[in-house]
Amino acid sequence: VLDDDVAAIDRLMEPLHPADVADLLEQISAAERESLLQLWSTGIDGEVLSELEEGLREEVIAFLPSHVLAEAVRELDSDDVVDLVEYMEDAQQAAILDALDEADRAAVEEALSYPEDSAGRLMQREVVRAPEHWTVGEMIDHLRHHKADLPEQFYHIILVDPRMKPTGYVTLGRMLSTAREVELNQITEDSFRPIPATQPEEEVAYAFNQYHLISAPVVDDDGRLVGVITIDDAMIVQDAEAEEDILRLAGVGEGGLNDRVLETTKQRFPWLAVNLVTAILASLVIAQFEAAIAQIVALAVLMPIVASMGGNAGTQSLTVAVRAIATKDLTRSNLMRVVLREAGVGLINGLIFAVVMGLVGLVWFGSPMLGGVIAAAMVINLLVAGLAGILVPVVLDRLGVDPALASGAFVTTVTDVVGFFAFLGLAVLLLI
Amino acid sequence: VLDDDVAAIDRLMEPLHPADVADLLEQISAAERESLLQLWSTGIDGEVLSELEEGLREEVIAFLPSHVLAEAVRELDSDDVVDLVEYMEDAQQAAILDALDEADRAAVEEALSYPEDSAGRLMQREVVRAPEHWTVGEMIDHLRHHKADLPEQFYHIILVDPRMKPTGYVTLGRMLSTAREVELNQITEDSFRPIPATQPEEEVAYAFNQYHLISAPVVDDDGRLVGVITIDDAMIVQDAEAEEDILRLAGVGEGGLNDRVLETTKQRFPWLAVNLVTAILASLVIAQFEAAIAQIVALAVLMPIVASMGGNAGTQSLTVAVRAIATKDLTRSNLMRVVLREAGVGLINGLIFAVVMGLVGLVWFGSPMLGGVIAAAMVINLLVAGLAGILVPVVLDRLGVDPALASGAFVTTVTDVVGFFAFLGLAVLLLI
């Protein structure tokens, strides 16, 4: 990738979109990145910084001469600056805030005063607003006179009353197709929904998705307009939420592809530790049946099958439940029906696999009784797996624990313990 | 929920957003839904139908009198009609198409001629376009004269040459803030990116996300403008893709919360069947060591721990890998580094848990040798789990198989077989 010719690098990188430059920086090795940045720090503008994943961002920022950094940050909208600095260490954050001019710094600092992951952090402060009584013509003239102050993208004119409370909004398309003398408050949209600045960002993303919003005004505790959130911000949040659910379900905390070995080890360790405790619990169950296993070694051979089937069936139910909770599709009013459905599915699949495993047990070990035991254990475990898969996440959610994070461990514990206990217990009762 | 008073139902439902009406229909039971629809079919408009999940949509449509259905469909934009009918049976689809007027029907039929899940299916045909040489003033006058034909939402004016090829676009905000006499081709945006109608929809969503697009023109094979895709469509696709990955990783096919027991059983059965084969493979490995287990029953007690830890570590790696492939963050240029990282993480976590389990083995069973065996098996299995977790999805992806769908089974097979083999094999070598 690298030779020492800056002009050549410029030529190569110039046609790339900032997002692609950021991807390139993410995909080369740390050493290559270092050489590239030393030669080409001027190419890193604010948009590239915004696109970089969090872990790398600080590494790259540390490399930039302060005048390049200041220049980069100044060109960004306030929401992008907030996004850039909110998780930085204090010293680095202060350095970046100092690079901003007074008004922008105040805007960023106010945004940072809202709770993490709230609408206040997500919104941009640059709002296009108008007094309610203005006409289309007055608004167009106003926009033409203030073109330098307009945000890069905006989709609505927000109407405000004299106390700065938003009362409605007008799409640009509607405004463009309406005669100049019409008042803006005659052509407002039904979809208007102000969002409180303290609302958690996943609720914001849900509202955008559910009501097909394009932009929405953000209001403070007194109902006054403080900013606007646009659909691209909501899309990023929604993407991040789904990603978080996927990674949490797999027992992987946060973390990107560029984290180092030790960081990644640390992220994955807790889940493995929880799993170890679970597995030891299951082992304790098995230990109760040592005598039976010593007598019939076939039990040791078959017992992982029951546990593994239960674990898988439980994961299926719990994943569906976790997603349904996240998308607000699972509520009090349909919970009972969904629980019954999971029980039904567990029972039917349990019966099918009971027949299959009964035959496997019979053919493999020539013992109809052993076949019967594993068949019965299979039905019990898949039924329990279905029920645990739905009930554990629902209970965790009611307790205020993120079901994506903790359900897996609980459900696996249940299916392991029940699976081993049912299989080995029945074996003791019927075979010995 | 229900009494027989239609007016009361109207009063209750009227203030609800169509998306909320659809949610309500999804959450009540089938019997309640039937009574509600019999009383209140007039309340179901096109937007409610669009919001319903696929499974229920056909059920609800079957209930609607044909004039209500025709009315409901006529008010939708062409992309929403396509979305509504594309997976319907032929007879039902034909009935709906017949309800449309000529021009709309032609538009929907043309969209249906594009491949499933392509940009052509996603786009809307209603496009706001202008000849390149028009001025801002001419465009505004044109919009004012054709206001009845405008799509409900649009964000750009697309400029086309005389052969209908798009050459650029102008944001409405930019147009509103520019003087009437300026030509539109003076104020076009850099973000302009035409999308081929045959492009798969996940590529479209990726482009919107990567380049922060709000809308993009869709072109046919000859480069002519045939429609436009907006960010809300892309957001829905992206949401669906993430959901699909989550469900596939958990071995749950498609399917919603409202599917019936038998449908759901059928969706989950294949993955459980695959898992059974995997589990039997693992059992066959154990069966090779029956003699050793009969001699030292402690092996049967501890052996699920090694397998379970390996399975979990493998799931962690493979989930990260599957997502990185989906988001195009894992490429040839960083594959080697990521593989080495996974190996490093597996090795370190393996060593930590080796020490823990070694001590557990020693304390529990009083045998330092048994502790050593389980410790060694742990290191081997977590290392292999890390490598399988990254390599299996990458290889599947290269072979054109969706890694989210198939990786889990392969990785679990590897970790089960390797885990049991390492633990029991070492036990035979060292303990017997």
Side-chain angles (χ1 to χ4, degrees):
Chain A
V1 182
L2 301 180
D3 58 44
D4 288 354
D5 183 350
V6 179
I9 299 178
D10 268 340
R11 260 200 316 280
L12 278 172
M13 305 286 267
E14 215 269 306
L16 293 182
H17 188 279
D20 293 328
V21 175
D23 280 354
L24 189 141
L25 284 171
E26 286 168 12
Q27 292 193 3
I28 59 183
S29 71
E32 289 167 332
R33 197 155 48 229
E34 194 170 318
S35 338
L36 179 61
L37 288 172
Q38 263 161 3
L39 284 170
W40 195 67
S41 65
T42 47
I44 308 297
D45 61 12
E47 291 193 54
V48 173
L49 286 181
S50 286
E51 300 285 349
L52 275 177
E53 61 165 67
E54 246 170 69
L56 275 191
R57 218 184 254 165
E58 305 200 11
E59 186 189 319
V60 170
I61 286 178
F63 257 101
L64 299 182
S66 57
H67 69 277
V68 174
L69 182 59
E71 183 59 37
V73 173
R74 258 197 297 269
E75 75 195 33
L76 291 174
D77 276 345
S78 64
D79 58 336
D80 293 324
V81 177
V82 172
D83 192 39
L84 202 63
V85 302
E86 62 180 340
Y87 298 115
M88 279 183 183
E89 284 160 36
D90 288 348
Q92 216 178 12
Q93 192 182 82
I96 290 189
L97 290 181
D98 282 344
L100 297 172
D101 61 44
E102 193 92 18
D104 288 341
R105 184 165 63 235
V108 171
E109 278 170 352
E110 196 189 316
L112 288 175
S113 73
Y114 291 107
E116 268 184 31
D117 301 329
S118 68
R121 293 273 181 115
L122 206 58
M123 71 188 184
Q124 64 186 56
R125 311 268 312 187
E126 292 84 357
V127 180
V128 183
R129 56 174 199 257
E132 302 166 90
H133 57 81
W134 274 21
T135 62
V136 169
E138 285 174 304
M139 188 68 216
I140 293 181
D141 294 341
H142 175 84
L143 290 174
R144 287 190 182 142
H145 283 125
H146 293 83
K147 87 198 261 186
D149 305 332
L150 295 177
E152 220 178 299
Q153 294 269 15
F154 64 105
Y155 313 105
H156 290 106
I157 310 290
I158 298 171
L159 304 186
V160 291
D161 70 12
R163 282 147 60 220
M164 277 295 284
K165 297 194 178 172
T167 57
Y169 63 13
V170 176
T171 66
L172 303 188
R174 192 79 191 273
M175 201 163 86
L176 275 166
S177 57
T178 303
R180 283 183 66 91
E181 61 276 11
V182 176
E183 280 194 17
L184 291 175
N185 58 29
Q186 302 303 309
I187 53 171
T188 57
E189 299 286 315
D190 285 345
S191 60
F192 179 71
R193 280 181 180 257
I195 289 176
T198 51
Q199 191 170 76
E201 61 178 19
E202 65 261 32
E203 300 279 323
V204 175
Y206 175 79
F208 269 79
N209 208 9
Q210 175 84 344
Y211 304 117
H212 305 294
L213 305 179
I214 297 299
S215 82
V218 180
V219 294
D220 65 14
D221 289 345
D222 301 325
R224 277 191 298 255
L225 183 67
V226 289
V228 65
I229 292 177
T230 50
I231 186 172
D232 49 321
D233 302 315
M235 194 168 172
I236 290 168
V237 171
Q238 181 176 299
D239 197 29
E241 294 286 324
E243 190 76 19
E244 193 181 87
D245 268 5
I246 294 178
L247 296 180
R248 286 185 169 181
L249 279 168
V252 190
E254 327 226 320
L257 213 56
N258 283 298
D259 294 341
R260 283 147 209 277
V261 172
L262 279 181
E263 267 172 274
T264 309
T265 307
K266 252 183 6 202
Q267 286 153 9
R268 299 201 190 160
F269 178 84
W271 176 256
L272 291 175
V274 169
N275 182 62
L276 183 64
V277 175
T278 306
I280 289 178
L281 271 177
S283 287
L284 287 174
V285 173
I286 300 173
Q288 307 311 308
F289 297 94
E290 278 194 24
I293 295 172
Q295 228 174 310
I296 313 174
V297 182
L299 295 178
V301 175
L302 292 173
M303 103 200 152
I305 296 182
V306 179
S308 150
M309 293 297 283
N312 265 278
T315 303
Q316 291 180 329
S317 303
L318 93 83
T319 303
V320 171
V322 165
R323 285 309 294 169
I325 292 171
T327 56
K328 304 199 183 190
D329 289 330
L330 184 61
T331 60
R332 273 163 207 272
S333 58
N334 61 357
L335 176 61
M336 201 55 216
R337 271 196 313 283
V338 176
V339 170
L340 286 177
R341 187 188 72 159
E342 290 298 334
V345 172
L347 195 63
I348 297 174
N349 269 330
L351 288 170
I352 298 172
F353 287 106
V355 173
V356 176
M357 273 315 295
L359 291 175
V360 169
L362 176 63
V363 172
W364 191 348
F365 295 98
S367 154
M369 214 53 180
L370 183 61
V373 166
I374 197 165
M378 193 69 89
V379 176
I380 294 170
N381 205 17
L382 290 203
L383 179 60
V384 169
L387 288 173
I390 176 89
L391 293 175
V392 167
V394 168
V395 170
L396 287 173
D397 184 49
R398 294 264 163 95
L399 296 176
V401 180
D402 179 355
L405 197 59
S407 298
F410 282 102
V411 172
T412 316
T413 308
V414 171
T415 55
D416 275 2
V417 168
V418 170
F420 289 131
F421 195 80
F423 179 55
L424 297 173
L426 285 171
V428 168
L429 285 179
L430 299 175
L431 295 177
I432 292 171
Chain B
V1 183
L2 301 180
D3 58 43
D4 288 354
D5 184 349
V6 180
I9 300 178
D10 267 341
R11 261 199 315 280
L12 278 172
M13 305 287 267
E14 215 269 307
L16 294 182
H17 187 279
D20 293 327
V21 175
D23 279 354
L24 189 140
L25 285 171
E26 285 168 11
Q27 293 192 1
I28 59 185
S29 70
E32 288 167 332
R33 197 154 48 229
E34 194 170 317
S35 340
L36 179 61
L37 287 173
Q38 264 162 2
L39 285 170
W40 195 66
S41 65
T42 47
I44 308 298
D45 62 11
E47 291 192 54
V48 174
L49 286 181
S50 287
E51 300 286 349
L52 276 176
E53 62 165 65
E54 247 170 69
L56 275 190
R57 217 184 256 166
E58 305 200 11
E59 186 188 319
V60 170
I61 286 178
F63 257 101
L64 298 182
S66 57
H67 68 279
V68 174
L69 182 60
E71 184 59 37
V73 173
R74 257 197 298 268
E75 75 195 33
L76 291 174
D77 276 346
S78 65
D79 58 335
D80 293 324
V81 178
V82 171
D83 193 39
L84 203 63
V85 302
E86 61 180 339
Y87 298 114
M88 278 184 183
E89 283 160 36
D90 288 347
Q92 216 178 13
Q93 191 182 82
I96 290 189
L97 290 182
D98 282 344
L100 296 172
D101 61 43
E102 193 93 17
D104 288 342
R105 184 166 61 235
V108 172
E109 279 171 352
E110 197 189 314
L112 289 175
S113 73
Y114 291 108
E116 269 184 32
D117 301 329
S118 68
R121 292 273 181 115
L122 206 59
M123 70 188 184
Q124 64 186 57
R125 310 268 312 187
E126 292 85 357
V127 180
V128 183
R129 56 173 199 258
E132 300 167 90
H133 56 81
W134 275 20
T135 62
V136 169
E138 285 174 305
M139 189 68 217
I140 293 181
D141 294 341
H142 174 84
L143 290 174
R144 287 188 181 143
H145 284 125
H146 293 83
K147 95 198 252 184
D149 305 333
L150 295 177
E152 220 178 299
Q153 295 268 15
F154 64 105
Y155 313 104
H156 290 105
I157 310 291
I158 298 171
L159 304 185
V160 290
D161 70 12
R163 281 147 60 220
M164 277 295 284
K165 297 194 178 172
T167 56
Y169 63 13
V170 176
T171 66
L172 303 187
R174 192 78 192 273
M175 200 162 86
L176 276 166
S177 57
T178 303
R180 284 183 67 90
E181 61 276 12
V182 176
E183 280 194 17
L184 292 175
N185 59 29
Q186 302 303 309
I187 53 171
T188 57
E189 299 287 314
D190 285 345
S191 60
F192 179 71
R193 276 181 184 259
I195 289 176
T198 50
Q199 190 170 77
E201 61 178 18
E202 65 261 33
E203 300 280 324
V204 175
Y206 175 79
F208 269 79
N209 209 9
Q210 175 83 345
Y211 304 117
H212 306 294
L213 306 179
I214 297 299
S215 82
V218 179
V219 294
D220 66 13
D221 288 346
D222 300 326
R224 277 191 299 255
L225 182 67
V226 289
V228 66
I229 292 177
T230 50
I231 186 172
D232 50 320
D233 302 315
M235 194 168 172
I236 291 168
V237 171
Q238 181 176 297
D239 197 28
E241 294 286 324
E243 191 74 19
E244 193 181 88
D245 268 6
I246 294 178
L247 296 180
R248 287 185 169 181
L249 278 168
V252 190
E254 326 226 320
L257 213 57
N258 283 298
D259 294 340
R260 284 146 208 276
V261 173
L262 279 181
E263 268 171 274
T264 309
T265 307
K266 254 188 357 207
Q267 286 153 9
R268 299 200 190 161
F269 178 84
W271 176 257
L272 291 175
V274 169
N275 182 62
L276 183 64
V277 175
T278 306
I280 289 178
L281 270 178
S283 287
L284 287 173
V285 173
I286 301 173
Q288 307 311 307
F289 297 95
E290 279 194 23
I293 294 172
Q295 226 174 311
I296 313 173
V297 182
L299 295 178
V301 174
L302 291 174
M303 119 199 136
I305 298 181
V306 179
S308 151
M309 293 297 282
N312 265 279
T315 303
Q316 291 180 329
S317 303
L318 93 84
T319 303
V320 171
V322 165
R323 286 308 294 170
I325 292 171
T327 56
K328 304 198 184 191
D329 288 330
L330 184 61
T331 60
R332 273 164 206 271
S333 59
N334 61 358
L335 176 61
M336 202 55 216
R337 272 197 312 283
V338 176
V339 170
L340 286 177
R341 186 188 73 159
E342 290 298 334
V345 172
L347 194 63
I348 297 174
N349 269 330
L351 288 170
I352 297 171
F353 287 106
V355 173
V356 176
M357 272 315 296
L359 291 174
V360 169
L362 176 63
V363 172
W364 192 348
F365 296 98
S367 155
M369 213 53 180
L370 183 61
V373 166
I374 197 166
M378 195 70 90
V379 177
I380 294 170
N381 205 17
L382 290 202
L383 179 59
V384 168
L387 287 173
I390 175 89
L391 293 175
V392 166
V394 168
V395 169
L396 287 173
D397 184 49
R398 295 263 162 96
L399 296 177
V401 179
D402 179 355
L405 197 58
S407 297
F410 282 101
V411 172
T412 317
T413 308
V414 171
T415 55
D416 277 2
V417 168
V418 169
F420 289 132
F421 195 81
F423 179 55
L424 298 173
L426 285 171
V428 168
L429 284 179
L430 299 176
L431 295 176
I432 292 171

